[in-house]
Amino acid sequence: MVFEIDNVELYFNKKTILNGVYLKAQTNTITGILGRNGCGKSCLLSIIFGSLSSKYALIRINNKPITKALYLTNQVAYLPQFYFTPNQININKLFKLYKVSWKDFEAKFPEFKTYKSKTINYLSGGERRVIEIYLILNTPSNLVLLDEPFSNISPIYIEKIKQIIKRVNKTKAIVLTDHSYNEVIDIADKIYLLK
């Protein structure tokens, strides 16, 4: 799968946030986005997903134009910067809702074994983020957008997540951005710099 977004223009109160941005992502290539705070990295991911409207943006998948919000096509999964799981949801139920195997997750993260019957807000922020990343990476989508996947996560989990991203990338296009730019540089095959 080859995803492209081209000619992105975004303005807030007449201030230019993004102008003429082009990005290409494809299966088996991890695409990283780097740039300073406020340069539009998260906005670009939101535009790709379809939750933020831009003045212009041309989206193509396998060279075919997509005219509706990408999230409506079931081809994209998006990990936003903030927690997206409801605080009181049971972790076991969450895995069932996403149709993701708890046993597979537990095999990779045995430290989480006792959390299965807990609610998601019982976990630390980093542990919660690990679960959210794992769920997003294991959706049936063709394109995965990860906004700050390494922030506030212990180094031991970061290495495991990077291995999962590399495995998943064999069947999905992955776009990620993070302020931990060393992690992005380490894992990305291709990097875009937003200025």
Side-chain angles (χ1 to χ4, degrees):
M1 182 254 222
V2 177
F3 167 84
E4 293 174 283
I5 186 165
D6 198 0
N7 208 25
V8 180
E9 287 189 28
L10 178 68
Y11 304 93
F12 288 136
N13 298 325
K14 297 185 182 179
K15 181 180 178 185
T16 303
I17 307 299
L18 298 169
N19 186 12
V21 174
Y22 171 82
L23 182 135
K24 179 179 181 180
Q26 58 193 47
T27 305
N28 217 24
T29 302
I30 298 169
T31 304
I33 305 171
L34 296 178
R36 294 176 141 178
N37 282 347
C39 72
K41 300 181 301 292
S42 294
C43 289
L44 180 59
L45 293 183
S46 295
I47 290 167
I48 293 169
F49 184 64
S51 58
L52 178 64
S53 296
S54 59
K55 185 172 181 182
Y56 300 110
L58 304 169
I59 294 177
R60 294 183 300 277
I61 293 180
N62 296 330
N63 221 21
K64 293 181 182 171
I66 305 296
T67 56
K68 59 184 175 180
L70 205 56
Y71 70 84
L72 295 172
T73 67
N74 294 322
Q75 294 193 61
V76 64
Y78 177 41
L79 176 80
Q81 286 181 4
F82 50 85
Y83 302 131
F84 67 87
T85 49
N87 283 333
Q88 298 302 319
I89 195 164
N90 176 279
I91 293 170
N92 188 41
K93 184 176 182 180
L94 190 60
F95 273 75
K96 286 180 181 175
L97 283 171
Y98 273 82
K99 298 178 182 166
V100 173
S101 167
W102 172 262
K103 281 192 181 248
D104 290 347
F105 173 77
E106 193 181 283
K108 290 173 182 62
F109 297 93
E111 313 84 15
F112 285 71
K113 186 175 186 175
T114 59
Y115 296 156
K116 183 178 180 181
S117 62
K118 306 286 185 192
T119 57
I120 195 82
N121 64 340
Y122 176 83
L123 278 60
S124 72
E127 291 168 332
R128 182 174 183 166
R129 195 69 172 160
V130 167
I131 285 179
E132 290 182 341
I133 293 164
Y134 189 85
L135 292 173
I136 290 296
L137 286 170
N138 285 284
T139 62
S141 59
N142 298 318
L143 173 65
V144 176
L145 310 172
L146 302 173
D147 197 351
E148 304 285 340
F150 307 120
S151 295
N152 302 318
I153 294 179
S154 75
I156 230 170
Y157 294 147
I158 287 174
E159 290 309 312
K160 287 183 180 184
I161 287 166
K162 287 197 309 198
Q163 292 307 313
I164 294 167
I165 289 171
K166 287 177 183 175
R167 178 183 51 79
V168 165
N169 184 236
K170 291 176 179 152
T171 58
K172 301 173 192 273
I174 302 213
V175 179
L176 62 87
T177 185
D178 203 290
H179 291 295
S180 300
Y181 65 90
N182 286 329
E183 306 298 350
V184 175
I185 290 168
D186 180 49
I187 196 170
D189 300 302
K190 183 167 54 172
I191 294 177
Y192 288 85
L193 178 63
L194 284 183
K195 184 177 178 190

